Amino acid sequence: MAAARARNRNRPVTSLESLLATKEIVICCGSGGVGKTTTAAAAAAMAAAHLGGKVLVITVDPARRLANALGLERFGNVESQVPQELFAEAGVEPRGELWAAMLDTKQSWDELVRSHAPDAATRDAILANPLYENITGRFVQSHDYIAMERLYEIHASGRYDLIVVDTPPTRNAIDFLEAPDRMADFFSSRLLRWLTVPARSRVFTMASRPFYTVADRILGSQFLQDIAEFFLLFQTMYDGFVARARAVTRTLSDKRTTFVVVSTLEAAPAREAEFFIEALAERTFPLGAVVVNKVLPEWFGDREATAVAQRLCGGPAGLAKAVADAEPGVGDPAQLARVLSEVGESFLNFQVVATREAEQRAELAAQADVLATVPYADHDITDLGGLLELGKALWR
Ligand SMILES: Nc1ncnc2c1ncn2[C@@H]1O[C@H](COP(=O)(O)OP(=O)(O)OP(=O)(O)O)[C@@H](O)[C@H]1O
Ligand SMILES: [Mg+2]
């Protein structure tokens, strides 16, 4: 499979299908709520169904909505296979396998500590440190970093032909791109050195003494000692961590990796998508495709439909009367006229939005080789069938 992907890599990429046929890592990103998780799952399901091989989707959606959609009861840090029967239920005979994992930040950190701690005693001390869970679970970008870290680990294992990554709902879409580098910087930072000074020497430097005296009184010496011990222990993993974080960054710009920017056509997410596309270019991270999600149907631009809507707004009394005559139970013609007029008005309002969307879409289309458009579904996506249905629009 890997060889086939490498061969495909020389072919022109004209659709999401051909993009996914040539890559090993696909990272779906974009601003909050635009459909990253849904897109990642649908793309992975399509790849497993039609391209074959072992496909993994790593999601970070804590809502478990996706787990349910994929028919997985328990679905955690360890990858599990989406039952083949679910494809059959959706009327599809898959060429490959679909696997899924949901990122568990705590478990992933534990594994990271286990693999980087210099010895068993340090490992146990870190895992038992009262601050460990709090700090790794909460510090800004913990989630971003660990998502990248897991990706790196799974890719390096060679267990999958294609890995599709859903990214966390970050305040700033750029954050997770920088998470590995920030992590490396943090470990070599002055802040870290400074925090670990007292535990290291037990002789406070003159500069830090006033702070520690005050901090000691307010926070208690045990707390300060826990902090210092925590960072000191963590520092023993410095080399492993930094090397790893740098390798993660390298993976992001590798030719086997591609980014898919997901956006809706509302002003704010579309602006953020453009900003994000620029940020990828600055870092030489490859943009493979733009997915515009939840777009209005094209027929809102239809000229005949517009004429009908205008007629409804202009004077629906005659029409209402004709309908009432033909269908006596339908209700009072005056009410009917009001409803019809409202419907026409509403259509024209949607049309304004659809026109603006078309402009936005043209701007985004100019930025990537592949643009996929996914219409707004009028129902919730709750099963594999729904994901594959949405996936058809992605593939086109
Ligand atoms: N094309 C679509 N039509 C209708 N509903 C959709 C579509 N795509 C996604 N949704 C719905 O929109 C909601 C948000 O989607 P999703 O969770 O995939 O977004 P997200 O970008 O991952 O959000 P977050 O940033 O919070 O992680 C979900 O309820 C999902 O079912
Ligand atoms: Mg999500």
Side-chain angles (χ1 to χ4, degrees):
M1 277 303 289
R5 275 172 203 282
R7 261 197 319 279
N8 285 339
R9 225 166 276 144
N10 299 323
R11 298 193 190 147
V13 170
T14 52
S15 64
L16 208 68
E17 177 175 9
S18 52
L19 181 70
L20 265 57
T22 62
K23 300 295 176 186
E24 292 173 20
I25 295 177
V26 178
I27 302 173
C28 297
C29 43
S31 76
V34 292
K36 297 179 292 293
T37 302
T38 309
T39 303
M46 288 299 278
H50 303 293
L51 298 176
K54 259 181 104 173
V55 180
L56 172 71
V57 54
I58 308 179
T59 119
V60 292
D61 198 338
R64 307 191 63 82
R65 186 179 55 78
L66 193 76
N68 299 337
L70 293 172
L72 297 170
E73 286 289 316
R74 288 179 304 112
F75 161 83
N77 220 28
V78 178
E79 308 106 72
S80 40
Q81 187 177 1
V82 174
Q84 296 290 76
E85 303 90 78
L86 292 184
F87 281 94
E89 278 171 28
V92 173
E93 200 181 312
R95 293 182 62 189
E97 296 173 3
L98 178 60
W99 289 69
M102 187 157 72
L103 195 72
D104 180 318
T105 312
K106 161 137 180 55
Q107 274 186 33
S108 299
W109 270 109
D110 291 356
E111 272 161 38
L112 202 61
V113 168
R114 281 193 198 102
S115 58
H116 287 296
D119 51 63
T122 312
R123 175 198 66 203
D124 295 343
I126 292 175
L127 295 176
N129 185 292
L131 287 175
Y132 162 70
E133 202 169 314
N134 242 303
I135 291 178
T136 53
R138 290 182 195 193
F139 82 85
V140 192
Q141 296 194 347
S142 168
H143 223 62
D144 297 336
Y145 176 70
I146 217 73
M148 289 294 142
E149 165 63 38
R150 276 285 282 171
L151 167 68
Y152 177 81
E153 186 259 317
I154 294 173
H155 182 246
S157 79
R159 292 196 295 274
Y160 297 92
D161 299 292
L162 175 67
I163 306 170
V164 183
V165 190
D166 166 33
T167 54
T170 31
R171 285 161 312 286
N172 173 354
I174 308 302
D175 280 354
F176 80 88
L177 290 182
E178 298 185 335
D181 274 346
R182 291 247 176 98
M183 185 64 79
D185 291 347
F186 173 71
F187 273 91
S188 38
S189 71
R190 284 176 57 197
L191 172 69
L192 193 57
R193 278 206 302 277
W194 180 77
L195 275 168
T196 53
V197 159
R200 194 185 292 145
S201 61
R202 297 283 167 215
V203 181
F204 295 2
T205 62
M206 289 310 283
S208 66
R209 186 179 290 155
F211 168 79
Y212 276 101
T213 317
V214 175
D216 207 62
R217 229 178 283 145
I218 298 171
L219 302 169
S221 56
Q222 184 59 45
F223 181 68
L224 280 181
Q225 205 165 324
D226 282 346
I227 291 186
E229 187 199 61
F230 171 75
F231 283 109
L232 194 70
L233 287 168
F234 236 64
Q235 239 186 1
T236 61
M237 302 193 296
Y238 173 82
D239 287 339
F241 253 74
V242 173
R244 188 67 169 241
R246 302 279 185 233
V248 174
T249 304
R250 272 199 305 280
T251 306
L252 296 183
S253 48
D254 194 282
K255 64 178 185 302
R256 292 168 295 180
T257 301
T258 192
F259 285 81
V260 171
V261 173
V262 185
S263 182
T264 62
L265 291 170
E266 288 154 305
R271 223 178 10 251
E272 195 164 338
E274 281 176 25
F275 177 63
F276 194 70
I277 289 167
E278 277 170 31
L280 287 175
E282 272 168 27
R283 291 163 180 77
T284 63
F285 292 157
L287 171 69
V290 171
V291 170
V292 291
N293 191 21
K294 304 190 189 182
V295 300
L296 290 171
E298 273 173 20
W299 51 261
F300 271 112
D302 190 288
R303 218 187 285 170
E304 280 173 37
T306 309
V308 172
Q310 280 164 343
R311 221 182 115 213
L312 286 183
C313 297
L319 189 62
K321 185 172 180 312
V323 173
D325 287 348
E327 201 63 56
V330 77
D332 171 34
Q335 288 287 14
L336 195 56
R338 220 168 295 142
V339 172
L340 287 174
S341 162
E342 224 20 82
V343 170
E345 189 90 35
S346 204
F347 181 94
L348 293 177
N349 285 340
F350 271 115
Q351 195 176 52
V352 173
V353 179
T355 310
R356 208 175 49 223
E357 280 194 359
E359 290 163 10
Q360 283 280 20
R361 187 164 53 178
E363 272 174 39
L364 284 174
Q367 318 251 10
D369 293 341
V370 175
L371 177 89
T373 304
V374 180
Y376 203 108
D378 53 9
H379 51 271
D380 227 17
I381 298 136
T382 53
D383 56 12
L384 191 60
L387 285 173
L388 289 166
E389 191 56 42
L390 191 136
K392 280 188 202 155
L394 277 179
W395 240 219
R396 251 182 259 129

